[in-house]
Amino acid sequence: MRLILMGPPGAGKGTQASRVAEQFGIPAISTGDIFRENVSKGTELGVKAGEYMDAGEYVPDDLTNLMVRNRIDEDDATPGFLLDGYPRTLAQVEELDGMIKFTGHQLDAVVVLTVDPEELVQRLLQRAETDGRSDDTEDVVRRRQEVYAEQTEPLIDVYRDRGLLHEVDGMGEVDEVTKRIFAALSDVDPS
Ligand code: AMP
């Protein structure tokens, strides 16, 4: 099963990604988590990525694509994967198409979580207090939303045109949202 979970910052992608991945027995691959791990270890990638992340901007495509390519080459991703936070640009969509084609498989479904924009800012500011993420300040949160609207929202139409899109209401209790995602994916046959 090869899945993408999309949604604006604060839509609850991370939480849902782990649940969905567990259900399908595939790894949840979060580009944000991999970047953060690199930042905290002080790797070369982390030093480069950290500057963009703290400003609420996207890390350049070449760095991001290479990182995802290496990750999905790992053994645990052979049966499939759930991508959380990738692709986020049209160039990443193309790159991912190439990566999947190379393995002889295809993308099975794209889930997009829809959440009210004001609720999103509130959720992110709350997360800033509990998790202390350096990119959860109000200015950066708003910038991340702008970048999502400019660069990532266009991907929704791309995947809708391919017949892969499942829009899921991301508002409400976490368990409810998980149920909605499972229901949306219940008729998907893995390639
Ligand atoms: P996330 O945890 O998914 O919200 O990602 C945190 C930050 O990591 C984003 O604001 C970006 O700076 C960076 N990032 C994560 N995924 C990508 C991606 N696919 N393309 C570019 N930057 C990314």
Side-chain angles (χ1 to χ4, degrees):
M1 190 74 142
R2 283 158 188 80
L3 303 172
I4 294 174
L5 183 60
M6 280 182 65
K13 289 192 302 292
T15 313
Q16 298 299 339
S18 333
R19 293 175 171 211
V20 176
E22 194 185 337
Q23 172 82 5
F24 290 101
I26 51 179
I29 300 177
S30 155
T31 41
D33 282 352
I34 305 177
F35 282 135
R36 276 184 290 278
E37 202 182 309
N38 277 276
V39 169
S40 68
K41 287 186 182 154
T43 67
E44 201 183 326
L45 173 65
V47 172
K48 286 183 190 157
E51 286 176 32
Y52 295 96
M53 295 167 77
D54 284 345
E57 304 294 336
Y58 285 169
V59 177
D61 285 334
D62 53 348
L63 288 180
T64 309
N65 288 332
L66 183 64
M67 186 179 82
V68 172
R69 186 178 287 278
N70 290 336
R71 178 63 188 86
I72 66 178
D73 265 352
E74 288 178 31
D75 289 346
D76 64 336
T78 308
F81 45 78
L82 180 150
L83 294 169
D84 159 13
Y86 182 92
R88 267 170 148 117
T89 64
L90 291 167
Q92 292 178 12
V93 169
E94 255 187 60
E95 193 75 15
L96 176 65
D97 286 343
M99 290 182 217
I100 297 181
K101 199 170 170 197
F102 184 75
T103 66
H105 294 276
Q106 41 190 349
L107 190 59
D108 297 302
V110 177
V111 172
V112 61
L113 294 177
T114 55
V115 186
D116 167 61
E118 255 325 293
E119 158 102 21
L120 283 180
V121 176
Q122 293 315 317
R123 280 193 193 181
L124 286 171
L125 295 178
Q126 214 175 4
R127 188 169 79 186
E129 281 175 21
T130 49
D131 298 6
R133 261 176 62 163
S134 57
D135 57 353
D136 273 348
T137 60
E138 183 154 3
D139 282 356
V140 177
V141 162
R142 294 208 186 268
R143 178 64 194 144
R144 283 164 60 208
Q145 288 193 308
E146 275 171 19
V147 174
Y148 179 84
E150 284 163 15
Q151 301 204 43
T152 307
E153 261 175 16
L155 274 53
I156 294 177
D157 283 341
V158 170
Y159 289 123
R160 185 182 290 114
D161 289 348
R162 293 190 194 177
L164 291 173
L165 194 73
H166 300 262
E167 282 177 285
V168 172
D169 178 5
M171 304 286 286
E173 293 298 314
V174 173
D175 286 348
E176 274 305 310
V177 178
T178 309
K179 276 189 205 153
R180 288 179 208 139
I181 299 176
F182 289 162
L185 294 176
S186 62
D187 57 353
V188 174
D189 281 327
S191 61

